Amino acid sequence: MRILTVAAFAVSGYASTEGRHCKPFNPLLGETYEGDYPDKGLRFFSEKVSHHPMIVACHCEGRGWKFWGDTNLKGKFWGRSIQLDPVGILALKFDDGELFQWSKVTTSIYNLILGKLYCDHYGTMRIQGSGEYSCKLKFKEQSIIDRNPHQVHGFVQDRSGNKIATLLGKWDDSMYYVLGDVSAKPKGYDPMSEACLLWRRNKPSCNNSRYNLTPFATTLNELTPSIKEKLPPSDSRLRPDQRHLENGEYELANAEKVRLEQLQRQSRKLQERGWQPRWFRKEKGKDTYEYIGGYWEAREQGKWEGFSDIFGQTISENSID
């Protein structure tokens, strides 16, 4: 069943969060990022489409499928911890027309003041399919005395409500499935005795980076001459504070950070005056921003005329409709 693989994909995205509690760079309004991997038949694109609330929309294409969505967080500060509740819907559509949609679960970061920082993901994730099946996954909240944290359990059911398969695993390690309803098995039954592997996390490097990035993640900010000539002026790789920090030029990075923060304060004014994202639109009656096309065609032709230099001295008002 395709939905089993989709469920494993939805869970696997949390595995990279372990040990990564540092505050990320806050993108500027209109900032973009692309990832193009022709050898894998994969290309990804994202754009910051709103400053307040802060929303980043993305669109990804692979062989036989498309993935899109946007991310926004509602935060709650509890003194020693912070709770982040995602807002938005993720969608995955295959070329045969089958569509799956789901929302992320709650994330909390603990011991902000004292103790070792750690994060946990918990709540219920419902994956709605346009075909015969849907899926419900329960991310168990970690307790202080929990000896087996990060557990995920769930099931796949058909339109009649019959449980077709059971899923079990851990969001930071692996996911398995067993056909049928495990809860109907005799007492003492061990589901792992006949479980089939869906996904397993690649073991992290023994030489972890400062931010616990995977070997793949460390390549995402690489800027070679061949890549630079293809990028629009809004791409994150061209962001000066980030580049200086990566090069160990901390004073320059801090100076650029202060300058860009000043530009960021102008973003809300631009948005209030009618600024619109270039590559995404949110249609009336819909919950998510959707890609309107044109980015990859412009990239191929090298036509970036009319783009504002968002990392420059001022934010251009040319993007205001």
Side-chain angles (χ1 to χ4, degrees), residues 125-179:
M125 176 186 289
R126 292 178 173 83
I127 304 175
Q128 301 295 333
S130 62
E132 180 66 18
Y133 304 108
S134 61
C135 178
K136 181 179 179 181
L137 295 170
K138 177 68 174 179
F139 288 62
K140 182 182 177 183
E141 186 173 4
Q142 182 177 346
S143 66
I144 298 177
I145 60 174
D146 199 342
R147 297 183 179 180
N148 191 21
H150 307 163
Q151 292 188 56
V152 181
H153 294 89
F155 56 85
V156 172
Q157 63 181 17
D158 60 20
R159 289 187 176 276
S160 300
N162 301 312
K163 293 184 179 179
I164 307 301
T166 302
L167 296 104
L168 62 159
K170 301 174 72 174
W171 55 258
D172 66 334
D173 183 69
S174 56
M175 287 297 295
Y176 296 82
Y177 78 93
V178 178
L179 293 178

Side-chain angles (χ1 to χ4, degrees), residues 2 51 53 83 108 159 175 198 202 207 219 233 262 295:
R2 177 183 281 169
H51 178 63
Q83 177 181 321
S108 286
R159 289 187 176 276
M175 287 297 295
L198 279 170
N202 290 328
N207 301 314
T219 69
Q262 180 60 38
Y295 176 83

Side-chain angles (χ1 to χ4, degrees), residues 252-315:
L252 289 174
N254 187 61
E256 285 296 325
K257 174 178 178 291
V258 172
R259 184 178 67 83
L260 291 177
E261 284 177 346
Q262 180 60 38
L263 291 181
Q264 186 81 325
R265 295 186 184 98
Q266 300 178 30
S267 297
R268 185 166 185 173
K269 296 179 181 178
L270 285 177
Q271 193 170 336
E272 290 172 349
R273 293 170 59 186
W275 181 93
Q276 292 294 325
R278 182 175 289 267
W279 307 109
F280 293 86
R281 288 292 185 272
K282 188 174 184 179
E283 303 295 338
K284 291 184 178 179
K286 292 191 176 182
D287 296 324
T288 60
Y289 284 84
E290 293 188 8
Y291 177 58
I292 59 177
Y295 176 83
W296 298 105
E297 292 78 7
R299 181 185 189 272
E300 185 176 346
Q301 299 171 18
K303 292 184 177 180
W304 303 120
E305 294 85 357
F307 275 71
S308 57
D309 181 10
I310 63 172
F311 305 127
Q313 297 302 316
T314 58
I315 297 179

Side-chain angles (χ1 to χ4, degrees), residues 49-274:
V49 296
S50 174
H51 178 63
H52 187 77
M54 205 283 280
I55 302 175
V56 176
C58 73
H59 182 86
C60 185
E61 300 174 1
R63 296 190 179 107
W65 54 268
K66 293 181 180 179
F67 170 82
W68 68 90
D70 54 52
T71 58
N72 178 23
L73 294 172
K74 289 186 177 180
K76 297 178 182 178
F77 181 62
W78 298 107
R80 292 182 297 178
S81 66
I82 186 170
Q83 177 181 321
L84 304 171
D85 296 308
V87 179
I89 297 175
L90 304 177
L92 177 61
K93 187 175 184 179
F94 292 88
D95 284 355
D96 60 9
E98 189 170 18
L99 174 67
F100 297 94
Q101 294 180 302
W102 66 94
S103 297
K104 290 188 173 184
V105 296
T106 296
T107 295
S108 286
I109 301 175
Y110 299 94
N111 295 337
L112 296 177
I113 299 175
L114 186 66
K116 183 179 179 180
L117 276 175
Y118 72 94
C119 73
D120 190 27
H121 310 289
Y122 55 91
T124 301
M125 176 186 289
R126 292 178 173 83
I127 304 175
Q128 301 295 333
S130 62
E132 180 66 18
Y133 304 108
S134 61
C135 178
K136 181 179 179 181
L137 295 170
K138 177 68 174 179
F139 288 62
K140 182 182 177 183
E141 186 173 4
Q142 182 177 346
S143 66
I144 298 177
I145 60 174
D146 199 342
R147 297 183 179 180
N148 191 21
H150 307 163
Q151 292 188 56
V152 181
H153 294 89
F155 56 85
V156 172
Q157 63 181 17
D158 60 20
R159 289 187 176 276
S160 300
N162 301 312
K163 293 184 179 179
I164 307 301
T166 302
L167 296 104
L168 62 159
K170 301 174 72 174
W171 55 258
D172 66 334
D173 183 69
S174 56
M175 287 297 295
Y176 296 82
Y177 78 93
V178 178
L179 293 178
D181 184 3
V182 170
S183 62
K185 299 288 186 179
K187 187 176 180 180
Y189 168 75
D190 180 12
M192 293 303 296
S193 63
E194 54 182 13
C196 299
L197 180 68
L198 279 170
W199 157 78
R200 184 184 298 278
R201 175 191 181 188
N202 290 328
K203 295 297 181 181
S205 171
C206 296
N207 301 314
N208 289 338
S209 66
R210 179 179 179 184
Y211 300 103
N212 203 31
L213 301 177
T214 64
F216 172 72
T218 58
T219 69
L220 295 179
N221 200 42
E222 185 177 9
L223 186 62
T224 62
S226 60
I227 294 177
K228 186 175 181 179
E229 65 182 13
K230 298 177 181 178
L231 296 177
S234 57
D235 194 276
S236 293
R237 294 176 181 86
L238 304 176
R239 183 167 174 155
D241 57 343
Q242 182 174 269
R243 184 61 57 190
H244 286 312
L245 180 62
E246 186 174 281
N247 293 338
E249 301 163 341
Y250 300 116
E251 290 186 6
L252 289 174
N254 187 61
E256 285 296 325
K257 174 178 178 291
V258 172
R259 184 178 67 83
L260 291 177
E261 284 177 346
Q262 180 60 38
L263 291 181
Q264 186 81 325
R265 295 186 184 98
Q266 300 178 30
S267 297
R268 185 166 185 173
K269 296 179 181 178
L270 285 177
Q271 193 170 336
E272 290 172 349
R273 293 170 59 186

